[in-house]
Amino acid sequence: MDIVVCIKRVPETAEAEIKVDSSGKDILKERLTFDINESDNYALEEAILLKEKRGGTVTLISVGPPECEDTIRMGLAKGADQAIRVSNEGFGELDGFATAEILKNTIQDLSYDLILTGCMATDDGYSQVGPTLAELLGIPHAVLVTKVDLQDGNARVERELEGGLLEALEIKLPALFAIQTGINEPRYASLIAIRRAAAKEIKVLNAQAIGLERPTLRTRVENLFPPPVGKRAEILKGGAEETSKRLAQIYKSKGII
Amino acid sequence: MMETSTTPIWELRDIIIEAGATDIYKCYQCGKCASVCPWYQTEAVNFPTYKFPLAAQLGRIASSEGKEELAREVEEVYRCVGCEACVEQCPQGVNIPNTLRAVRRILVDYGSYPDTLKPVVSKIHNVGNPLGEPGEKRRDWAKDLAIPLFQPGMEYLYFPGCFPAYDPRLRKVATSTAKVLKKAGVSFGILGEKEWCCGEAIRRAGAEKIFQEAAQSNISAFRNAGVKKVVVTSPHCYTTFKNEYPLLGADFEVFHITQLFYQLIEEGKLKPHQLSQLPELGEPNDSKSQRAKDPIKVVYHDPCTLGRQNGIYEEPRGVLKNIPGLELLEIGDFSHQFALCCGGGSGGLWLDWPKGERMADIRVQQAIETGAKVLAVACPYCLQMFEDSVKTMNLGLKVMDIAELLAESL
């Protein structure tokens, strides 16, 4: 069972103070920390668990600048066997489709049974790369996957639907699954694995090497801005007792409690 | 549980030593460390303090193959609260917290550390405090007190630290401190927005790079403002300013606030009055006149970082003893260098161990058994940890900073 996992290095923005840069099209990143995208971390763990159960290899692929190698090494330390970084140099701006195209050109020459991605990147929130990559490769896919059970040539997966429903699917391999958070419990990397990962080679490919000089850019960011404050927003002022009383009144009047 | 292998991994030993665990070979496994480690006071946890130097010698820390066993090992590496009770007792001068900090540094570099600590590190890098509050609000606590920004010619920079600057409860400690300093006519100012987290806790949690960044930010802010003397509320700021920043180019004197308070009392610049019953204590209203004469029983908890690590035992007590109407008690066998840690150090504040694994729960129980109504502290971490325990255990004990008690008496 050879598994390819696509991972992205993203800035931690959930609890950070975010400022738009002077171009108006990106955020200032100097004061942000970076880590593996949350659902990609679950995809990575799922791949390692599947490898532990059934043998085979795990290959990591990430598109981005040299700093991505920190994230890749973390994945190698957790148990991935090999890694490729596709340098984003010369690609310019990338959207979900363009990233999927780069990944397709990188992956099509590899031998694989399964591709795992996260279900959404926490920075741009597009959720496009997984399904688009599957379409470009001409393989079936499932998104928001919460369970993976491999059989010979097939996979039984469960995925989340709206309204609390789960959908069970049987999918022919090779296939791509976009993994939902919470599917497993991501592991720590051990000191010895960290040590070994430091010495592992990360293959770096450029546009020429993957035969894609200019990925197709179909969307372009016009500008970023904080959402305008809604008209119905009400900021409660005063001490804890006063505001909690007022809050309870509002809840009651709206029939929430 | 998987069997932990003891086959040496020499290359791992070498990187642990390289990351700072330089004294592991001095350990001869006498086990004195274990006798004072605060984890031994908790019933639910087995934390064999004495094993870490040998484990490091063998390169066998956080090196298990199995996922579950490794998770347990990493958790163990993060249990040490850096109280240094073991360091105080070790006949060989082995610093076990330092050994574990070396391991943490390697883990943090690879993002392989507890998820609850990651936002703390991110927020300090992002906005300069672990609460994630914007820098421009760092001065808000001082708004009503008209505390000036530090100017050349002022004697002291008052550095409240992150929690006293932002946390609604801890702000009372900062405002009390400022009131006392004003009353004594001390010349002081604050840095406001230019103040950055001291970085002590995250350094001990292994985030060395972000600590270095925080330290450089403060060192240059102090230098640019012309600061020569800094007085701090938190023993954590104190220890890193005094013992670690000088190695990074800092050139200023540092005082813990209790040292300055005591000096001001000695010099006659502060004259505490009779402390009347504290309204927050919820004393019954009967025989009021009699009660007012009873001294308020206060027990002092030595913060590890102030006492054991910096030898400041007497000044905090000196302040409390000089407040009329206050009777100072001690926690028998667990006082001074034997004080039990609150559990908040080295990242412990954010790790949130389950009930049965909290040192603070044991400590507040010890405090209550002295008959005290007030547990006096001199550290924002201790205050938070103890207040949490008092609330969850529903105890009739008031936790107050020395600055708050002193302000009440002026």
Side-chain angles (χ1 to χ4, degrees):
Chain A
M1 179 64 54
D2 294 322
I3 307 172
V4 172
V5 186
C6 306
I7 60 172
K8 184 177 186 183
R9 176 180 180 264
V10 293
E12 286 291 322
T13 50
E15 294 181 75
E17 195 176 72
I18 305 296
K19 286 179 185 149
V20 177
D21 71 10
S22 57
S23 76
K25 295 181 180 184
D26 206 347
I27 56 170
L28 287 168
K29 298 189 181 120
E30 290 77 24
R31 298 236 66 96
L32 298 176
T33 51
F34 288 77
D35 204 349
I36 185 170
N37 176 49
E38 191 186 11
S39 55
D40 298 358
N41 197 26
Y42 287 89
L44 167 65
E45 178 65 27
E46 198 60 24
I48 297 164
L49 290 171
L50 292 169
K51 184 185 98 165
E52 283 176 348
K53 247 187 258 172
R54 305 182 65 99
T57 62
V58 173
T59 304
L60 297 175
I61 301 184
S62 190
V63 180
E67 293 81 45
C68 284
E69 294 188 8
D70 290 349
T71 310
I72 295 172
R73 287 215 186 277
M74 187 274 291
L76 289 169
K78 286 184 174 190
D81 302 278
Q82 52 213 12
I84 299 169
R85 175 174 73 84
V86 186
S87 167
N88 64 339
E89 215 186 326
F91 284 144
E93 202 177 322
L94 294 175
D95 63 5
F97 188 91
T99 307
E101 222 179 4
I102 295 167
L103 289 169
K104 177 231 166 191
N105 274 44
T106 313
I107 294 172
Q108 64 189 1
D109 300 328
L110 305 175
S111 122
Y112 61 90
D113 303 290
L114 188 62
I115 301 172
L116 299 182
T117 66
C119 63
M120 181 166 83
T122 54
D123 55 351
D124 57 34
Y126 286 157
S127 295
Q128 288 176 354
V129 171
T132 311
L133 172 60
E135 288 301 314
L136 291 174
L137 287 167
I139 58 171
H141 74 270
V143 300
L144 293 168
V145 169
T146 56
K147 192 177 177 189
V148 179
D149 191 7
L150 295 179
Q151 288 143 359
D152 287 334
N154 280 315
R156 282 186 63 85
V157 301
E158 286 178 13
R159 54 180 295 262
E160 267 180 18
L161 298 182
E162 287 184 3
L165 280 181
L166 290 178
E167 182 181 60
L169 296 167
E170 189 165 316
I171 296 183
K172 200 170 165 356
L173 297 179
L176 180 145
F177 303 142
I179 301 293
Q180 173 65 303
T181 56
I183 185 174
N184 50 44
E185 204 173 318
R187 70 189 59 203
Y188 291 111
S190 75
L191 282 193
I192 186 64
I194 285 171
R195 183 71 182 152
R196 284 178 194 143
K200 275 188 191 171
E201 187 208 0
I202 295 172
K203 202 164 159 186
V204 181
L205 300 179
N206 58 15
Q208 204 181 359
I210 62 166
L212 183 72
E213 292 297 332
R214 197 166 288 276
T216 323
L217 195 65
R218 299 181 177 205
T219 54
R220 205 179 288 278
V221 175
E222 284 284 312
N223 66 329
L224 288 177
F225 56 95
V229 179
K231 277 192 187 124
R232 296 180 70 178
E234 183 186 346
I235 310 287
L236 301 179
K237 284 184 180 150
E241 203 166 315
E242 206 179 315
T243 50
S244 54
K245 208 177 266 175
R246 176 81 192 109
L247 194 61
Q249 277 172 357
I250 296 170
Y251 282 167
K252 257 186 198 159
S253 71
K254 306 271 180 206
I256 298 167
I257 51 169
Chain B
M1 194 189 284
M2 271 183 61
E3 198 140 308
T4 309
S5 168
T6 48
T7 314
I9 309 174
W10 301 124
E11 57 176 317
L12 218 52
R13 170 201 60 183
D14 295 346
I15 62 164
I16 295 169
I17 292 174
E18 201 181 311
T22 48
D23 52 20
I24 50 174
Y25 278 98
K26 293 184 197 161
C27 173
Y28 52 44
Q29 296 256 301
C30 69
K32 261 187 112 175
C33 47
S35 69
V36 288
C37 178
W39 283 112
Y40 278 77
Q41 299 295 325
T42 65
E43 281 172 23
V45 181
N46 175 27
F47 185 76
T49 326
Y50 56 86
K51 84 168 186 188
F52 295 108
L54 183 64
Q57 287 172 29
L58 295 170
R60 278 287 176 184
I61 296 182
S63 56
S64 287
E65 296 277 341
K67 177 178 165 180
E68 309 300 324
E69 179 62 11
L70 178 64
R72 195 194 60 74
E73 277 192 281
V74 172
E75 186 176 277
E76 198 168 59
V77 166
Y78 273 91
R79 272 199 192 275
C80 174
V81 288
C83 74
E84 297 195 7
C86 56
V87 179
E88 170 101 9
Q89 292 302 318
C90 180
Q92 289 288 90
V94 180
N95 190 317
I96 293 174
N98 210 18
T99 303
L100 292 172
R101 196 190 313 172
V103 176
R104 292 174 184 190
R105 278 182 187 168
I106 305 166
L107 291 171
V108 168
D109 272 349
Y110 276 75
S112 184
Y113 66 112
D115 281 342
T116 44
L117 290 172
K118 290 181 183 175
V120 177
V121 176
S122 289
K123 286 171 188 172
I124 291 173
H125 177 60
N126 183 219
V127 287
N129 67 81
L131 297 94
E133 294 286 339
E136 55 267 25
K137 287 191 176 172
R138 200 164 184 118
R139 254 184 105 177
D140 283 5
W141 68 270
K143 241 194 240 163
D144 300 335
L145 296 166
I147 310 290
L149 285 178
F150 185 87
Q151 303 290 335
M154 286 179 174
E155 187 172 9
Y156 291 98
L157 167 73
Y158 171 49
F159 189 97
C162 301
F163 285 95
Y166 289 114
D167 180 81
R169 166 66 186 94
L170 268 303
R171 273 184 180 179
K172 287 183 194 151
V173 178
T175 52
S176 299
T177 303
K179 281 178 196 163
V180 174
L181 294 180
K182 278 181 120 178
K183 186 107 183 172
V186 174
S187 145
F188 75 103
I190 54 174
L191 270 187
E193 211 172 325
K194 297 209 174 83
E195 179 180 320
W196 203 259
C197 177
C198 71
E200 189 262 5
I202 54 161
R203 178 177 226 194
R204 278 148 186 77
E208 182 65 18
K209 286 176 197 147
I210 308 290
F211 162 76
Q212 293 285 344
E213 179 187 290
Q216 288 309 333
S217 170
N218 280 323
I219 290 169
S220 61
F222 292 0
R223 188 176 296 139
N224 294 341
V227 172
K228 295 272 174 280
K229 289 178 175 180
V230 182
V231 61
V232 297
T233 284
S234 173
H236 297 274
C237 303
Y238 179 86
T239 201
T240 190
F241 286 174
K242 189 172 176 70
N243 305 316
E244 297 171 0
Y245 276 38
L247 302 173
L248 305 169
D251 183 21
F252 57 85
E253 268 186 284
V254 56
F255 304 89
H256 186 254
I257 193 69
T258 56
Q259 294 180 302
L260 182 56
F261 286 162
Y262 186 62
Q263 186 194 320
L264 293 168
I265 292 171
E266 289 278 282
E267 291 170 355
K269 290 179 183 159
L270 280 177
K271 292 193 176 68
H273 301 306
Q274 179 82 17
L275 193 63
S276 51
Q277 285 296 340
L278 299 165
E280 308 92 329
L281 292 184
E283 290 289 297
N285 247 349
D286 56 291
S287 60
K288 225 177 173 181
S289 52
Q290 180 56 41
R291 286 220 163 263
K293 286 180 197 154
D294 290 346
I296 300 171
K297 292 183 173 170
V298 175
V299 64
Y300 175 62
H301 160 81
D302 288 285
C304 307
T305 309
L306 198 60
R308 260 194 305 276
Q309 295 174 27
N310 286 291
I312 301 173
Y313 295 111
E314 294 317 317
E315 292 96 323
R317 287 178 171 78
V319 175
L320 293 170
K321 281 179 192 161
N322 273 290
I323 300 176
L326 184 155
E327 183 187 343
L328 179 63
L329 304 174
E330 294 286 346
I331 305 180
D333 295 339
F334 293 93
S335 174
H336 292 79
Q337 70 268 38
F338 297 109
L340 185 71
C341 182
C342 73
S346 299
L349 190 65
W350 296 280
L351 286 172
D352 201 19
W353 301 108
K355 203 127 190 84
E357 300 184 19
R358 297 178 191 158
M359 296 163 194
D361 285 2
I362 300 166
R363 189 61 168 165
V364 293
Q365 199 63 48
Q366 290 179 342
I368 268 228
E369 280 162 16
T370 64
K373 292 283 180 216
V374 176
L375 171 56
V377 296
C379 171
Y381 289 8
C382 300
L383 195 144
Q384 289 197 70
M385 297 299 284
F386 294 150
E387 274 203 345
D388 281 355
S389 289
V390 164
K391 276 182 204 154
T392 56
M393 296 166 82
N394 201 17
L395 300 175
L397 184 70
K398 174 92 183 154
V399 188
M400 291 178 83
D401 192 274
I402 288 181
E404 293 178 292
L405 282 162
L406 186 56
E408 285 280 344
S409 76
L410 293 171

